[in-house]
């Protein structure tokens, strides 16, 4: 069982920056794909950015060049630096860790943190 706890959300003006962090309950980065998802009101949850155990990153087109995902092995923390924020970035942001082991999919979610970008 993996526990994930997000922090760092808040209210920011358009063009501003926020940094979200996700504290994991153990050393998971070597075996899990970890990432950030978001869900705006009345919309489906969508991938924002993820990083594989090998360090490969993947970003949604809408955030490329503005968001940067990173992980800290020593602190077991996943982060995303969000710059040049837009009102359309407003959503609840969730941390996720997933892996496949022996043919079984494992996926864990944090409780989410609200990001609101005002115009």
């Amino acid at each position: 069982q993996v526990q994930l706890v997000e922090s760092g959300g808040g209210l920011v003006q358009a063009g501003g920056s926020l940094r979200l962090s996700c504290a994991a309950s153990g050393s998971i980065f070597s075996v899990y794909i970890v990432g950030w998802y978001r869900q705006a009101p009345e919309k489906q949850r969508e991938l924002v950015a993820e990083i594989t155990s090998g360090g490969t990153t993947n970003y949604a087109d809408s955030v490329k060049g503005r968001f940067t995902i990173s992980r800290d092995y020593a602190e077991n923390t996943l982060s995303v630096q969000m710059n040049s924020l837009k009102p359309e970035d407003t959503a609840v942001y969730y941390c996720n860790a997933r892996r496949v082991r022996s043919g079984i999919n494992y996926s864990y979610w944090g409780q989410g943190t609200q990001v609101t970008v005002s115009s």
Side-chain angles (χ1 to χ4, degrees), residues 58-95:
N58 179 37
Y59 293 90
D61 287 343
S62 59
V63 307
K64 282 181 181 177
R66 300 189 297 123
F67 291 13
T68 303
I69 191 170
S70 62
R71 59 190 179 182
D72 185 327
Y73 275 87
E75 299 292 329
N76 295 323
T77 300
L78 176 72
S79 299
V80 61
Q81 177 67 40
M82 306 186 296
N83 298 328
S84 302
L85 283 162
K86 305 175 181 180
E88 50 263 44
D89 294 318
T90 295
V92 178
Y93 284 70
Y94 297 90
C95 179

